[in-house]
Amino acid sequence: MPNIRREQHLGLIGVLLIALAFTGLQLTAVTGRASPDSKNYLSYALSLSGESREEAGRRAIAYSCDSAQHAPLPTIPWTSRRGAGESEEQCVRRLNDSVAYWSGHGNTSGMTAPFANRRFMAIFEARPGYPLFLVPFTAAFGVTWGLWLAGLAVALAGSVCVLLTLRAAGASRRAGLAGQALYLALPTGTVAMNPLSDGLSLALGTVVVLGCVLLLRDRPRTDGRSGTRTGPWPVVRAAAAGPRTGAALVAGGLALMFLVRYSQALLLAAALAGVFLARSGWLRLKRRRFACDLRTAGLCAGLTVCVYAGAHLLSWPMGQDSAQDLLTHHYQRPDLPNPWPDFFVQEGVFWSAWLRRQVTYPVLPVLLALSARAMLRRRSVVLPVALAAGAAGLLNQAGHPNTAQLLGYRLIVFVWLLPALVIPLLLDRPSRGTSPVAAQPEEVGGGQRDGRVGVAQQFREGT
């Protein structure tokens, strides 16, 4: 018992130290993170708080223009940049003029302030989850600190889910802590801190990933020596959770993602369904157990249909609207009769430029190479889930081939979940293959003891 308690305390201390280090770094840039879309979400949140549409728009403009005045620090690449030569007063005047113009041209209703035409603002009206999440933070701490604390909560929650995912899959404590640290250090942590819906969508995606791991494993994971799982209380609960908990996390996570950013929820559910369906077919060819993968694929496929049907019934903007938005500069030009030929031309332009960018700054290719090595050397239920998450990120970016987003991470951010989940597995010893047949009962003091063991019991706790 003393050793178990010591392991629990060490694990908790590691989690807290990583969280405190990340928090300290973020205090160097409490403001300066706003993007052009931040004011849309903020005005929505302030309207939900009970403020008038006009007052919500005024406060959102004030925050956005004040944030733009804070030049980015050299070591903090995710802070916003000020428009060349534009003062805060000029920024406020420009946005107020835009609000007055669009108010006079038909944008007179909705929760968001009229920063653009009604059709463009409908995109943000279809994402009520993130503004609703912001309400208690902005109400209690004001706009600047409220948005910062909301981003911090989202970032830390996602990192803990990554840790729980690795631990639930049988990885050691050091691998779990490495996953938490990688999540916060990579663009996943960067995007989570930005006042945009992408961070909350990503955190909910990690909940879905955790649920899939719980669905895929055969039985709760325990320490092979003592029959118990060591670590902080959430780790113990994750280790003991079963398929029902996993199904609840997958369904609940995607349901909340639907309200935050339904397009990403749709793509994640579809990617998970496709990967698990393909994996179940491969396992069947190898004459190995595939029922868990097939059930998970069925669940994710059903949720894909539900997300698509829900967005359609609510008349939220769909793929055709997204293509027109890109090609008509936010619907300020007439719609194209058939946008897809021009859209695919834009795809080629974007991905060519993106590949050149990766050659110049090969951070992601290097991390993906390390991930590929981990996949070849390790066997873990995390691997197919991480592949599906990465595919969802690529699909999301493919749906928005905007070269203005070439230097950003937020649309493709789910790709960075792949190295955050897979590279930490390199810290553990390679798993040895064992027979899936249960061990024979062992004679103990004239009786018998059930000798069944699971593959995950071979993973010993890291130091």
Side-chain angles (χ1 to χ4, degrees), residues 16-99:
L16 293 177
L17 286 177
I18 292 173
L20 287 174
F22 181 77
T23 302
L25 180 61
Q26 305 316 305
L27 283 170
T28 63
V30 175
T31 187
R33 304 172 187 268
S35 82
D37 290 341
S38 297
K39 62 183 182 296
N40 302 326
Y41 294 112
L42 178 57
S43 68
Y44 196 151
L46 294 174
S47 295
L48 289 174
S49 299
E51 297 189 10
S52 67
R53 196 168 182 239
E54 293 73 18
E55 178 62 16
R58 185 193 66 77
R59 291 186 63 187
I61 289 173
Y63 169 78
S64 181
C65 293
D66 174 72
S67 179
Q69 300 308 302
H70 294 79
L73 299 176
T75 55
I76 310 294
W78 53 83
T79 48
S80 60
R81 299 183 180 275
R82 181 174 59 179
E86 186 179 54
S87 66
E88 184 173 354
E89 292 76 15
Q90 289 172 327
C91 174
V92 171
R93 189 181 309 114
R94 172 175 57 84
L95 292 178
N96 280 328
D97 289 345
S98 178
V99 168

Side-chain angles (χ1 to χ4, degrees), residues 107-131:
N107 191 348
T108 57
S109 62
M111 301 298 291
T112 56
F115 297 117
N117 60 74
R118 187 74 185 89
R119 189 176 175 189
F120 177 68
M121 300 310 294
I123 296 174
F124 302 95
E125 298 277 349
R127 300 171 183 173
Y130 180 62

Side-chain angles (χ1 to χ4, degrees), residues 4-13 229-232 236:
I4 293 177
R5 293 190 177 221
R6 180 173 176 272
E7 294 283 340
Q8 292 175 338
H9 292 157
L10 287 175
L12 183 58
I13 289 171
R229 171 60 99 177
T230 61
V236 177

Side-chain angles (χ1 to χ4, degrees), residues 131-149:
L132 187 61
F133 173 77
L134 292 179
V135 168
F137 291 94
T138 56
F141 303 101
V143 170
T144 300
W145 281 100
L147 289 175
W148 183 85
L149 287 170

Side-chain angles (χ1 to χ4, degrees), residues 278-290:
R279 187 169 183 259
S280 65
W282 180 80
L283 290 174
R284 184 176 182 181
L285 289 176
K286 295 291 184 178
R287 296 186 176 182
R288 294 165 59 185
R289 298 174 59 183
F290 62 92

